[in-house]
Every structure is written in C-alpha cells, then in structure tokens.
Amino acid sequence: MFLWRVLLIVIVFASFFGKPGVAEDIDDYYPIVSIFTPESRTASRSENWKPAPDGLALEVSGMAQLPDGRLAVAIRKGEIWILDGVNDVPPDNVTYQKFASGLHEPLGLLWHNDSFYTVQRSELTRIRDRDGDGIADDYETVVTGWGLTGHYHEYAYGPELDGQGNLWLTLNIGLGLKGDQLKKTIQDPTLGYRQARWRGWGMQVDLENRKLIPVCAGMRSPSGIGSNAEGDMFYTDQQGNWVATNSLHHMREGAFFHHAEALASMSEPGSPIHGIKSVPNGIPFPRAIKNLPQMVPPAVWFPYKKVGQSVTDIVLDASDGKFGPFSGQLFVGEFTLASIHRVFLEKVDGEYQGACFPFRDRMASAVLRLEQAQDGSLFAGLSNRGWSSLGTSSYGLQRVMWTGRVPFEIQEMSALNDGFRLTFTQEVDPATAGDVSSYEMNSFTYLYQSSYGSEEIQNEQLTITSAEVSDDRLSVKLTVEGMRELFVHELNARGIRSADGKPLLHPDAYYTLNRIPKVIAREN
C-alpha cells in the first residue's frame, strides 16, 4: 500500500510540472491496477486455444461487488468465484473461492436480496448458499421461455436492475441459421423473418409471478445492459447486419431499434410491437426512421474505430465525485480495442441523445464487464476468447483508479437550437477557447441495410461562426451552421488550451443529434 501511494504522489507531482502545451497521459489521472492478467499462450481465435499456465482461466463474464467489499465473478466456463483482497493496492494477497459451478455460459451477475442472479443460455437462475458454508447449494430456475436453435451466437445477457426495481435481460440474434436450426425457429407471417423465440429482444422479469415480459426488439448483440442516473435502462449493440456501427439505446416498451430479424417474434402473444408490414433496406438511416415509424434511433452512435469497434458493458458513475468529474455519466466497455468509453446523455423533447468520448485505453484484454467499486474505482472484467482484441492477456481482472487530479477534458457536450455548449473540467484559456479556428466540426450518418455495418455517408463540414466563452471560463457556446437531425456531429477541439496552457486529454467528441432543441420563447 505504501509503495502505491508513493507512486501516485510521483504521478501527481510530475503532472503538475509537465510542459505547457504538451498533452499528458491518461495514466497521470486514471492508472490501471492489474489484479490478474496472465500472458496469453495462444491467439484468442486459435482452434487449440489454451488458458494461461497460472491455473484459473478467469474469463470474466459477470461481476457483482458484495456488501462486505468482496467481488463475485462469473466466468464463461460456468462458475462463480468470490475474490477477496481485490481492493488492496497493490493486490498482492487476493484469495479465490469457488462458489458455484455447472452453469451454461453465464453472461451477467447480480447480487439481489441476498442471492445471486445470472442469465444462462436458456434461463435466469437464482443461486444461494443456504447452509452458510460459502458454497452454493440451491440453484433455482426463475424464468425461461426464450428459444434456442443451438447456434453459437445465441448469447443471453444479464440480469440488471433499473431504478424502479425491474429486472432486465437481453437476447442475441442467431446468425445465418440453417439446416436443423431452422426447425427450432418461429416465422413472422407478414415479414417472413425467422429466429428462435424472442431472439433480439429486451425482456423484463416479474420475479413475484415468475413471468418473462417482452418489452422491446431489434437487437443484434446486446452484450451490455445498465441504467443511468434517472433509473432508465439502456443496452449496447455491436456493428453487423442491420447495425451500422456500435450504439447505445434506451429500452422502453414497444421500441424497435434496428435488427429486422428480431421481428420474427412480433406476432407472438405478449409482443408490444405490431403493424410493421415492411422494413426499408439500403437507405440512409434518417430516411429509414421516417419510413418506419416504429423504429427509434439510438441515443448515441459510437463511430467505428474512432470510438471502439465492439462495445460491451454499461456502468453508471454513481461515485458522487470519488472517481473524478464524470459523476452521473456512463462508462462503456470496449472489446476489440481493449478500452473504456465515456457517455454524456441529455433529454431533448423527452428522448435521450448525447455524446461519446474516449476515456481509458491500453487495458490488458477485451473489456467485457464493468463494475464500480465502493470507493468509486472501476473493476474491468476481461475476456477475448472467440474474437481478437488488443492487449497481452486473453482474460483477467483489472481496476481503473483515480489519482485525485482532474484531467482537462470536455465534460459535457449539450445541444442548442443553433449549436452546442461545451462544458470543461477546468477553466479554459479564453483566447484559444474563443477562437473558432480552435475547433472543427462535421456531420454524417449511416446506411440502414441488411448488409454488415456501414461506412459514414453524407459527410459535410460544418461552419462554426462563433465561440463564446462563459464568464466562469468553464464552458463555451459554439454557434454552428448546418446542424442536421438524426446525424452524428463530430467535434475536434485540438486548438483549445486550459488556463495553464494544457491541451485537452481527449479533444474529440461525437454527438448524436436526433433532435435539435426548440427555441424557448421568453416571457414578456
């Protein structure tokens, strides 16, 4: 512990005396503590994949911090382990106790009412230790009822609780079903799409009545679920057929998002989605939204490669400032690029939209799960088997900590009727912040199509006509010509400097402008 504190002091001291005008490193603010990151023995896609020689293959697929500070970890091979000592810095004395086994690829973990809940391939399961010996002895099926064809891509995720106490889970689409798999599907009589029952749907669970409730549809690979500060539930989706790029969506009753094959269950009893007679294909997304009124846009698009390639878990920064200046925002995991993104959300005309930003890169492997610790730090559960990712490990557990020093960042990017307001974590230099040449903006959209992903299309440069610095020097109003609804608005603010001459740690931001705010008339 003493050596780690010395290291943090050195980092803070060095950052205070860094060169003006030179960008600092994320490690100066949010260093990584590796708890368990053994070096890979084989490539993640190897036909003869092998775990590291250190024993436990900690392919983290779910995490839940217990009230006493221990961390429960689900792993892909079907076990739950209880880890103690993970909050120590350095974590030299972590202990591992197997709590449960025999599960079928659990992809989530929740501690609720003195029990664990996890979603397996075919059911939501409650797991308890009834005799108090530290080993699970009660495995109880809570709900089942979604279909399986045997396709590898039919993952099931969750559960998570929203702010109203509702339990949620999400279900992957099966890809390219054929042969005997098709015999286990249902087919919508109007559209002709075929999938296993409720595939590509977001579901609520009525725990009291043990009932599965279909809520929304159109998901491809909804591997992340989480609620925001208001208690509303969101999911992340990954680029593929019908999904132009990675995205974040607000789950609510009757919403259809984008993956058309989920509509195979539209005519099932209990479906809240009705009346879709055709699905557009191969047209710009804004036009598709107009042609298909049941389809709702994502709250945030993550432009491909600019902000990741395969987004995963969602966690709310509920630390009340213990993790820095981003309290109330969302952090989103990233698989391929082994990193973490940040999301600011706001409501315009009652619907969510907002901006995404890079946050923390150079993790040891794919970030599949995130969990906020009691001290505000972030646990990152890692696993990249089956797909490739950056990093030196195939799996493991890391912890992102805050040194206590605030980085110079765009804290918020809010939409106005004639531009955007940027809020910063530190005071800005008024000369650079008030100079329109310090900024560049463009906007673009995507194709809505059954083919895999989409390039950015209809890209236009935008004109910034003024940059007005607030009196407290913590925000700038950008007046922008040519804003377009249902387009991503990309901002580059490389020219701006803080009051002490530092550039932004991350100068890029990407705002999904689904709606331009209306002008509010002033009362006489």
Side-chain angles (χ1 to χ4, degrees):
M1 177 68 76
F2 174 75
L3 291 176
W4 178 253
R5 287 176 177 170
V6 170
L7 178 59
L8 289 183
I9 291 171
V10 170
I11 290 172
V12 172
F13 183 85
S15 61
F16 268 116
F17 291 93
K19 295 179 180 179
V22 177
E24 295 172 328
D25 190 84
I26 186 65
D27 286 334
D28 297 329
Y29 305 96
Y30 291 97
I32 298 169
V33 175
S34 291
I35 298 170
F36 186 80
T37 53
E39 190 170 343
S40 301
R41 295 176 66 184
T42 59
S44 59
R45 291 177 182 255
S46 173
E47 292 183 1
N48 299 307
W49 183 88
K50 297 179 180 179
D54 295 49
L56 175 62
L58 199 71
E59 298 178 282
V60 180
S61 58
M63 290 190 292
Q65 187 161 47
L66 301 178
D68 62 8
R70 292 179 301 160
L71 185 68
V73 173
I75 62 175
R76 289 181 59 180
K77 69 178 288 187
E79 297 171 349
I80 297 174
W81 289 74
I82 308 296
L83 279 57
D84 201 359
V86 292
N87 295 297
D88 296 344
V89 182
D92 292 338
N93 298 298
V94 177
T95 61
Y96 301 79
Q97 178 184 350
K98 186 191 292 187
F99 176 79
S101 60
L103 304 172
H104 189 177
E105 199 167 42
L107 291 176
L109 190 62
L110 176 69
W111 177 254
H112 179 58
N113 291 339
D114 296 323
S115 300
F116 286 110
Y117 289 83
T118 187
V119 174
Q120 302 186 65
R121 276 263 166 167
S122 62
E123 68 172 62
L124 170 64
T125 310
R126 180 188 185 189
I127 304 172
R128 292 182 289 177
D129 170 19
R130 304 189 75 169
D131 61 11
D133 66 352
I135 300 174
D137 50 35
D138 185 27
Y139 297 73
E140 178 185 7
T141 298
V142 179
V143 292
T144 186
W146 57 87
L148 288 165
T149 69
H151 192 278
Y152 84 95
H153 201 256
E154 289 174 338
Y155 302 116
Y157 307 98
E160 290 288 346
L161 280 170
D162 65 17
Q164 292 73 47
N166 300 309
L167 209 62
W168 291 77
L169 59 89
T170 54
L171 302 169
N172 256 37
I173 284 285
L175 301 177
L177 302 178
K178 57 186 178 182
D180 288 342
Q181 294 170 344
L182 292 173
K183 298 177 182 178
K184 301 173 184 177
T185 64
I186 58 175
Q187 185 174 28
D188 181 76
T190 301
L191 299 172
Y193 296 123
R194 299 181 68 168
Q195 282 286 331
R197 190 170 187 248
W198 301 125
R199 283 285 149 192
W201 283 69
M203 318 290 284
Q204 282 187 4
V205 177
D206 180 346
L207 285 178
E208 183 177 350
N209 297 301
R210 303 298 177 96
K211 183 179 179 183
L212 193 65
I213 304 169
V215 179
C216 48
M219 305 171 178
R220 179 182 178 269
S221 189
S223 64
I225 323 171
S227 63
N228 66 353
E230 286 69 36
D232 293 326
M233 189 60 73
F234 291 78
Y235 87 93
T236 59
D237 218 338
Q238 297 181 353
Q239 185 192 58
N241 56 329
W242 295 109
V243 183
T245 187
N246 301 295
S247 48
L248 176 75
H249 303 261
H250 174 210
M251 291 197 282
R252 67 271 204 198
E253 185 175 3
F256 170 70
F257 301 111
H258 39 207
H259 204 291
E261 291 179 36
L263 296 173
S265 295
M266 180 174 61
S267 300
E268 286 292 289
S271 168
I273 299 174
H274 308 284
I276 298 178
K277 301 186 184 310
S278 64
V279 176
N281 193 357
I283 63 175
F285 189 80
R287 192 171 137 208
I289 288 286
K290 292 178 172 60
N291 290 356
L292 182 53
Q294 293 94 332
M295 187 162 71
V296 296
V300 171
W301 289 110
F302 297 87
Y304 195 68
K305 292 189 177 180
K306 296 175 180 177
V307 192
Q309 292 181 217
S310 46
V311 292
T312 57
D313 208 11
I314 303 167
V315 67
L316 168 69
D317 181 1
S319 68
D320 195 24
K322 290 189 288 187
F323 194 60
F326 308 118
S327 184
Q329 298 190 17
L330 301 179
F331 291 105
V332 175
E334 160 62 26
F335 193 102
T336 306
L337 300 186
S339 56
I340 301 171
H341 317 309
R342 177 170 59 88
V343 171
F344 163 75
L345 291 173
E346 61 181 350
K347 271 190 173 181
V348 176
D349 294 337
E351 297 294 333
Y352 285 108
Q353 59 187 42
C356 61
F357 312 83
F359 175 65
R360 169 74 254 194
D361 60 357
R362 305 193 301 273
M363 306 296 287
S365 187
V367 179
L368 188 61
R369 289 289 172 255
L370 293 169
E371 177 83 0
Q372 188 160 50
Q374 293 167 358
D375 67 352
S377 60
L378 282 185
F379 288 113
L382 314 177
S383 174
N384 71 2
R385 180 156 57 93
W387 286 270
S388 302
S389 78
L390 299 181
T392 58
S393 299
S394 289
Y395 49 79
L397 180 65
Q398 292 184 301
R399 184 180 175 200
V400 180
M401 303 191 67
W402 181 45
T403 63
R405 184 149 183 264
V406 176
F408 182 43
E409 294 272 40
I410 302 171
Q411 185 180 43
E412 299 178 1
M413 182 177 181
S414 301
L416 306 171
N417 68 292
D418 58 353
F420 296 91
R421 184 177 305 282
L422 308 179
T423 302
F424 298 90
T425 58
Q426 296 180 18
E427 290 186 16
V428 299
D429 162 45
T432 56
D435 185 351
V436 295
S437 67
S438 294
Y439 311 89
E440 291 181 356
M441 288 199 75
N442 63 287
S443 64
F444 55 85
T445 188
Y446 300 99
L447 280 176
Y448 179 62
Q449 58 183 358
S450 58
S451 301
Y452 195 100
S454 170
E455 299 294 327
E456 296 171 3
I457 64 169
Q458 299 182 1
N459 201 318
E460 290 185 5
Q461 294 297 312
L462 303 178
T463 300
I464 301 173
T465 59
S466 68
E468 181 183 344
V469 182
S470 64
D471 291 340
D472 63 7
R473 299 185 180 182
L474 288 173
S475 67
V476 175
K477 178 192 174 184
L478 299 180
T479 302
V480 181
E481 292 182 350
M483 295 164 63
R484 295 183 286 178
E485 290 189 333
L486 296 171
F487 279 68
V488 177
H489 288 63
E490 179 177 359
L491 169 71
N492 180 294
R494 295 189 190 280
I496 196 172
R497 295 293 182 267
S498 66
D500 61 355
K502 292 289 196 304
L504 287 160
L505 189 60
H506 297 104
D508 300 312
Y510 305 86
Y511 191 100
T512 300
L513 188 67
N514 292 327
R515 302 187 184 195
I516 297 174
K518 296 180 177 64
V519 178
I520 300 175
R522 293 184 178 181
E523 296 181 1
N524 294 327

